[in-house]
Each structure stands twice: as structure tokens, then as C-alpha cells.
Amino acid sequence: MRRVFGKVRVRAAVGASLVVAVALVAAGTALLLVLKNNLVGQADLQAENAAREVATQIATGKPYEKLDLPDGADRPVVVLAEDGRVLAAGEDVRAVDGKAVTDRHPPAARQPGGSDDDDDDDREIKPGEVEDRARHSGGTATVGDRTADYRFATVEAKDTQGDKAVVRAGSPLSAEREAVGSVRTAMLIGLPCLLLVVAGVTWLVTRRALRPVEGIRGEMAAITASTDLSRRVPEPGSRDEIDRLARTTNETLGALQASVERQRRFVADASHELRSPIASLRTQLEVGIAHPELLDAEGAVADAVRLQNLAADLLLLARLDAGERPADTRVDLAALVREDVSQRVGDRVAVRVGDLAGVEVAGSRSQLGRVLGNLLDNAQRHACDSVRTSVVREGEWAVLRVEDDGPGVPPQERERIFERFVRLDDARSRDDGGAGLGLAIARDVAERHGGTLAVREGSVFELRLPAA
């Protein structure tokens, strides 16, 4: 059962049917009440008209035995004296409210259960007048051998002699009950049929609407089973939520594919970069063991340092890829530049310091120091005679620039140089050129700090960070 109701189509069909059922029951109940009230009101009006016609005849002085009374089956009428005597009754009228019309009883206007209009009973009417307001009540009447329910209207009148008479006329409720019963029966028959139609239409519409979702699910299952991230889910092109879901899924697959491919290239490039210094270091150690006098200790130390730096770069990249957020501390870029430049005593080209604006940024001091160091190292490798750095503030941004007088970066390569393990000069030695990770690390750190790193003109590298 839970498996059946776990389907979206079933839940949608059941939910729509319940909503329609509640709405129809409420509307049907209101309709029946309105219909019943209207029909009862119409019966009251017909009974009142009949009572007033008879009361008018009495007020004009017409004798009771000559009163023109309506047919008893349609409008049972009984005329009572003030003391309860029956003065006149309609044809075949045997009893009203279970009491024979020949019995003496109090006037019907004084019986419990009458209308709320009894506030006019105390007003004295004059001879030849008819009471202004009628009183309505429900009751039964026996006409011939048949007893039925009626709505009664009671009106008082005085004849020309000043004698009061109470006219009680009824209107049958059979038409009201037949109409209400017919409507109720039609609703009871039509409601289940309508609910079946609603459930069926909802099922079909939901099934058609969810068909693309099933296609997306099936394709995603196939992609997961085959691990082929180049495949894409079908896009229905309907410009609705499902179409946007398909496009977003394809964008996610594209990003995942790019991430996996980058990870594979990263592993391959890292293995390639590590192989050379490890092989060189092993060779030097084997030669040193066999011929101690030929051991190149400085070369072995250089290879070990290169391995150490490469391992540190790989570790930092792994932490950045894992989503490590920088520490939320304030860093003075000008102080960071002065500290880094003061420690560069053995550089091939001395670093000149330009304008240093006092501006702080939020982030990790060690990571931002790594960015500055990588940019200065890159400038040192390509500079001819000059390397210059400066810090300025432009609006809400802190801008750190590093420039050199080298040949510059070609415009078509200004984005590619920030990819991992990319070196533009393939002919230069790996020892001089590095592993090609410095600029990639610098851009990743800049983006983690909410900033950017780009090449502006020639060989001017510009780091922009939000000012704290």
C-alpha cells in the first residue's frame, strides 16, 4: 500500500479527488439549503396569499358559510372564531395538526411553535380590517384520507360586526421535498462519477507531465552505471520547471565532467612532475653509494627542495579544492609587501616598491603571502632588469600590482597561464621554470578571498580584493 501511494501520480490523483469532493460536498450542501429555504419561502408566500384572500372576504362582511375557500388538497384552510369554534373549513379538510376541525381548541395563532411575528398580536385591529403581518409555522393537515406536511400562514381579521376570526391556510411541502430529493439524488449519483473523472484526468495529466522526469531519471541511472559523464539527459524544451531541471542537470553533469577531467589531468601532471626529481635524486644517491667521490650533494639537496615545494603546492591545492575557507582576519597589504620584499636578499633582480596605500583586507595572511610570493617569483623568472610592486585603493577594492620589464604575456595566453601545470616556454628547464602551479594557486586563493587575479597589460599582474 505504501509503495502504491508513494507514486506521485497516485498522490496527485487522490489529492485532487479529495479537494474536489470537499468542494462539491460543501457546494452541494449550500445549494440544498438555499433551494430548501427558497421553496419553503415560496410555500409561505402561497399560504399567506390564500389566508389573506379568505381574511379579506371576512373583512368585507361575507358570511362564513358563503366564503370562497380554495381546494382543500392544494390549500387547506380553516377559519376559527376567537373562542376556538370552527367557523369554516376547506373541502375535505378533516384535521389540522392532528386535531379535527369540529373540535374546540384555542386559536392556531396562539399555539406554541408559531412564527416569531407574535409581537403584532397585541395590536387591536378594527372592524373590516385584516391583520398586516401573517404568522408562519409548519404543521400537518388531513385532507380526505391523506395526511401531509404543510406550511401554514395565520392571519386575523374582523368582520363588519367587529367579530374576530382567525384564518389559517396551508401550502403543501411535497413539491419542496421532491425538488430537494431529486437534487440530492442527482448529487449522490453524479459526485462519484465526477470524482472518477477528476482522478482519471489528474492521473493522465500527471503521467504525461512526469514522463520527461522519468526520462531524466533513466538517463541519470545509465550515466551512473556507465560512468560516462559526457552523456546528457534529454531536455524536453517545454520551457517549464522540468525543462529547467533538465538544463540544470546537464550543467551539473558538465561541471562534474570538467572537474573529473581536471582531476585526472592533475593526477597525471603531478605524477609527471614528481617523476623527474625523484628519478634524479635516486640516480644521484645510487652514484654516491657506488662512487662517494662523485656525489653531487648540492644537486641532491636541490632536488629534495624541489620535491618539498611541489608537495607543499599539491597539498595547498588539495585543501583549496576541498573548499577550505580562509581565516577571517585583517591583513595589511602594504605591511605584507614590505615584509616579503625585505626577505628577498638573493633575488636575481631587486624588487622595487612603489606606492603602498594603507588598506586592509579580510582573509588568511599566509595564503595572501603565498600569492604575493608566487607573483614575485614569476616576475623574477621573466624580468630583464626591473620588478616593481605597489598597493593602491580603488573604491571598495584593494589592488596589488606586480609588474616586470620582461617580454610580457601574449593576449591569447592570459587565461591559460592560470591553469595548473601550464608553462608557456616548453623549452626552458623545469628547474628554472617551476612546476606551473604558482599562478594557479594564486588565482584559486584570490577567488577564495572574493577577489580576482588577472593579467592587465604586458606583464602586469593585478590582484583585486574587497577592502575590509
Side-chain angles (χ1 to χ4, degrees):
M1 183 64 67
R2 180 178 299 178
R3 182 177 181 181
V4 173
F5 283 95
K7 296 182 179 180
V8 176
R9 293 193 296 269
V10 176
R11 294 202 302 269
V14 172
S17 301
L18 289 177
V19 170
V20 172
V22 172
L24 288 178
V25 168
T29 302
L31 176 62
L32 290 176
L33 291 176
V34 171
L35 179 61
K36 182 177 181 180
N37 290 334
N38 288 340
L39 293 176
V40 169
Q42 184 177 0
D44 288 342
L45 180 60
Q46 293 174 354
E48 183 177 350
N49 291 336
R52 287 191 179 280
E53 289 180 1
V54 176
T56 301
Q57 297 178 44
I58 295 174
T60 58
K62 194 171 185 178
Y64 294 104
E65 63 275 7
K66 295 183 179 182
L67 292 176
D68 185 12
L69 301 179
D71 183 32
D74 295 333
R75 300 285 186 273
V77 176
V78 61
V79 180
L80 303 175
E82 192 172 7
D83 58 2
R85 291 178 296 107
V86 178
L87 301 177
E91 184 180 359
D92 294 334
V93 177
R94 300 285 184 264
V96 175
D97 289 338
K99 296 182 180 180
V101 297
T102 57
D103 295 341
R104 298 179 61 85
H105 54 80
R110 298 296 187 263
Q111 291 179 0
S115 170
D116 293 333
D117 297 332
D118 293 340
D119 54 346
D120 290 339
D121 290 349
D122 296 335
R123 186 181 69 84
E124 187 67 25
I125 58 177
K126 298 178 181 179
E129 290 185 350
V130 178
E131 187 179 18
D132 293 335
R133 302 183 64 179
R135 293 173 295 281
H136 301 279
S137 62
T140 60
T142 302
V143 180
D145 297 331
R146 181 174 175 270
T147 301
D149 293 329
Y150 291 82
R151 288 290 295 178
F152 287 96
T154 303
V155 178
E156 294 182 357
K158 281 188 177 181
D159 56 18
T160 56
Q161 302 300 321
D163 295 330
K164 181 184 291 187
V166 179
V167 180
R168 197 163 184 229
S171 178
L173 292 176
S174 57
E176 175 264 338
R177 294 185 176 178
E178 289 178 2
V180 172
S182 299
V183 173
R184 185 188 299 113
T185 302
M187 292 177 60
L188 292 177
I189 295 175
L191 179 60
C193 297
L194 184 58
L195 292 180
L196 289 176
V197 172
V198 170
V201 171
T202 305
W203 173 279
L204 295 177
V205 171
T206 307
R207 179 182 180 183
R208 182 178 181 85
L210 293 179
R211 188 175 300 165
V213 176
E214 179 61 24
I216 295 173
R217 187 209 62 79
E219 186 63 23
M220 285 295 295
I223 293 173
T224 303
S226 65
T227 67
D228 182 9
L229 296 179
S230 63
R231 299 173 61 175
R232 295 293 181 267
V233 301
E235 297 182 11
S238 53
R239 298 182 181 274
D240 55 8
E241 292 81 358
I242 297 178
D243 184 59
R244 291 195 293 271
L245 172 64
R247 290 201 304 269
T248 303
T249 302
N250 285 334
E251 292 173 359
T252 303
L253 289 173
L256 182 61
Q257 181 185 8
S259 175
V260 171
E261 291 178 353
R262 184 176 64 176
Q263 190 71 19
R264 289 172 179 171
R265 290 197 305 269
F266 177 79
V267 173
D269 292 338
S271 301
H272 181 72
E273 292 294 333
L274 288 170
R275 181 170 26 179
S276 295
I278 291 176
S280 175
L281 183 60
R282 176 182 177 179
T283 300
Q284 295 182 51
L285 292 177
E286 289 177 347
V287 171
I289 293 174
H291 305 282
E293 70 280 2
L294 299 180
L295 177 62
D296 184 6
E298 294 182 359
V301 171
D303 286 338
V305 170
R306 177 175 171 78
L307 283 174
Q308 183 181 11
N309 293 335
L310 183 57
D313 289 343
L314 294 176
L315 177 60
L316 178 56
L317 285 174
R319 288 162 51 191
L320 294 175
D321 288 342
E324 178 180 307
R325 305 299 299 176
D328 190 11
T329 58
R330 291 180 177 268
V331 180
D332 188 341
L333 289 183
L336 188 66
V337 170
R338 294 191 190 96
E339 179 182 349
D340 191 278
V341 172
S342 64
Q343 297 175 359
R344 291 179 171 271
V345 294
D347 286 349
R348 182 177 64 86
V349 179
V351 179
R352 293 188 298 110
V353 178
D355 297 334
L356 294 179
V359 57
E360 293 183 339
V361 298
S364 169
R365 183 180 182 85
S366 61
Q367 292 185 9
L368 293 177
R370 185 67 174 274
V371 173
L372 176 60
N374 289 352
L375 293 179
L376 292 176
D377 290 342
N378 180 74
Q380 287 284 341
R381 283 194 295 268
H382 298 89
C384 295
D385 300 310
S386 174
V387 175
R388 183 175 180 274
T389 182
S390 62
V391 176
V392 297
R393 178 162 186 163
E394 296 181 356
E396 299 299 324
W397 295 92
V399 182
L400 185 151
R401 293 188 179 95
V402 175
E403 54 186 300
D404 61 76
D405 60 350
V409 182
Q412 66 274 14
E413 301 288 351
R414 289 178 182 173
E415 284 298 318
R416 183 170 171 266
I417 60 173
F418 293 104
E419 297 179 6
R420 299 175 182 182
F421 298 105
V422 170
R423 290 183 291 258
L424 298 185
D425 188 2
D426 294 333
R428 71 169 182 259
S429 67
R430 297 183 182 274
D431 293 335
D432 293 337
L437 294 176
L439 294 180
I441 292 175
R443 170 166 278 189
D444 283 352
V445 172
E447 291 177 350
R448 293 294 189 279
H449 284 74
T452 60
L453 177 61
V455 182
R456 295 306 178 194
E457 294 292 337
S459 56
V460 179
F461 286 78
E462 184 178 275
L463 171 66
R464 302 176 71 89
L465 298 172

